[in-house]
Amino acid sequence: MTLELGSARSLSQSERTELFNAAYEGYVVPFHLDEATLAFIDDAFDLDLDASRIAFRDGELVGLGNLGVRGKDAWIGGVGVVTAARRTGVGETLMRALHEQARERRIRRVWLEVIVENTGAFALYEKLGYRTLRDVEVWSLSAAEDGEPAAREVPAAEAHEKVRERRTEREPWQRADASLAHYDDARGLVTDGGAAVYRRPGENVQVVQIAGDAEPLLRRLRSLGPVSILNLPDDDPAATAFRSLGATVVVRQHEMLLELEEH
């Protein structure tokens, strides 16, 4: 059976959403999205639909690979294969195709995260030349009535400037400054010793960036609703603050990097 590849731009948003959900059915961590969420991901994470690939086998869609592009850096924003076509080489073919698209755009570095329990994907990425840089974690902190008078609301730009002055770790792709620039709903919170930029979609609080003394900031944020943060490095000082407040790690991932040679 012949595997054919095409551009993700050839699909409608509804077709891409349907394929995404089919490709992640039964995944290590359940994942399901709607068209609005996919559109948000496209914009916030700079997914390049011309570079992103879809795979067909006998005319049927069997997989997809998303590629985000920012200057000389790219990010694998999900590679998934429908259940019936898994373990047949589709994932590797998609990854190699994304690398070729990256080379055509003179990308030098390709980043990705892989869930620790997804040992098959991790082995593939090592085979393709990726190396692990660090482990990152998704944290969840329950809401609680917890007044913190030292924390005060400020414009997101002001809080972001304080984060930039204090942070000690490189932000992952999803929380990088380039992602933050897409958020028109970002808010800021500061104390004398730290700062955070966050969003409040619905009743939840999503921390985008945080630096300095994180515990007072998290105490204030959890009074607004359940708090989460995506891909916080496991040795980041904020991880200690989350842990001290009784938060839990929902997902642990390896952050990996492939450095492409110039042609």
Side-chain angles (χ1 to χ4, degrees):
M1 293 181 289
T2 302
L3 188 67
E4 299 178 357
L5 301 181
S7 165
R9 195 173 293 281
S10 65
L11 299 183
S12 69
Q13 194 75 349
S14 62
E15 289 171 328
R16 285 183 61 227
T17 303
E18 183 178 354
L19 175 58
F20 194 104
N21 289 329
Y24 278 85
E25 183 179 358
Y27 189 53
V28 176
V29 174
F31 196 74
H32 188 278
L33 49 71
D34 55 22
E35 290 184 41
T37 303
L38 181 58
F40 173 84
I41 290 171
D42 289 344
D43 179 61
F45 303 152
D46 293 305
L47 296 189
D48 185 331
L49 298 189
D50 294 311
S52 299
R53 301 286 92 182
I54 54 174
F56 297 86
R57 179 167 283 166
D58 291 346
E60 297 290 331
L61 285 165
V62 295
L64 82 166
N66 294 317
L67 191 71
V69 176
R70 293 173 178 164
K72 295 292 185 181
D73 290 272
W75 173 68
I76 305 296
V79 171
V81 179
V82 301
T83 304
R86 290 173 187 165
R87 297 179 180 83
T88 63
V90 177
E92 180 171 348
T93 298
L94 282 166
M95 286 294 297
R96 293 188 184 278
L98 293 178
H99 294 164
E100 186 57 36
Q101 292 295 315
R103 290 188 179 95
E104 289 181 7
R105 289 160 175 77
R106 300 185 182 279
I107 298 295
R108 297 301 307 277
R109 296 166 296 274
V110 183
W111 305 82
L112 62 78
E113 303 89 31
V114 57
I115 294 173
V116 169
E117 291 82 2
N118 195 350
T119 55
F122 179 73
L124 170 62
Y125 300 147
E126 285 196 317
K127 173 185 175 182
L128 294 173
Y130 286 83
R131 58 188 175 89
T132 301
L133 296 184
R134 60 186 180 180
D135 282 354
V136 294
E137 299 165 330
V138 178
W139 283 90
S140 177
L141 176 64
S142 299
E145 291 295 333
D146 195 353
E148 180 51 64
R152 60 190 184 277
E153 297 280 345
V154 297
E158 180 180 336
H160 185 221
E161 183 60 33
K162 293 184 180 297
V163 168
R164 288 167 61 90
E165 293 171 357
R166 290 172 168 81
R167 66 184 170 198
T168 59
E169 297 276 354
R170 172 182 46 80
E171 307 286 4
W173 188 279
Q174 302 95 323
R175 297 191 294 101
D177 292 350
S179 295
L180 178 58
H182 289 290
Y183 299 147
D184 57 10
D185 60 347
R187 307 181 183 197
L189 191 68
V190 300
T191 63
D192 290 342
V197 180
Y198 70 98
R199 301 174 60 241
R200 286 191 69 188
E203 298 179 355
N204 299 309
V205 178
Q206 295 179 356
V207 179
V208 182
Q209 295 183 5
I210 189 167
D213 185 4
E215 186 168 330
L217 297 163
L218 293 176
R219 288 186 180 277
R220 174 65 174 272
L221 290 172
R222 74 177 180 180
S223 71
L224 304 176
V227 179
S228 65
I229 189 168
L230 186 64
N231 292 348
L232 186 68
D234 62 357
D235 60 352
D236 191 293
T240 301
F242 271 99
R243 188 176 293 107
S244 70
L245 294 174
T248 57
V249 174
V250 180
V251 177
R252 182 173 286 107
Q253 302 192 95
H254 302 303
E255 183 186 60
M256 306 184 78
L257 171 66
L258 174 67
E259 297 182 86
L260 298 176
E261 296 180 1
E262 283 191 286
H263 290 287

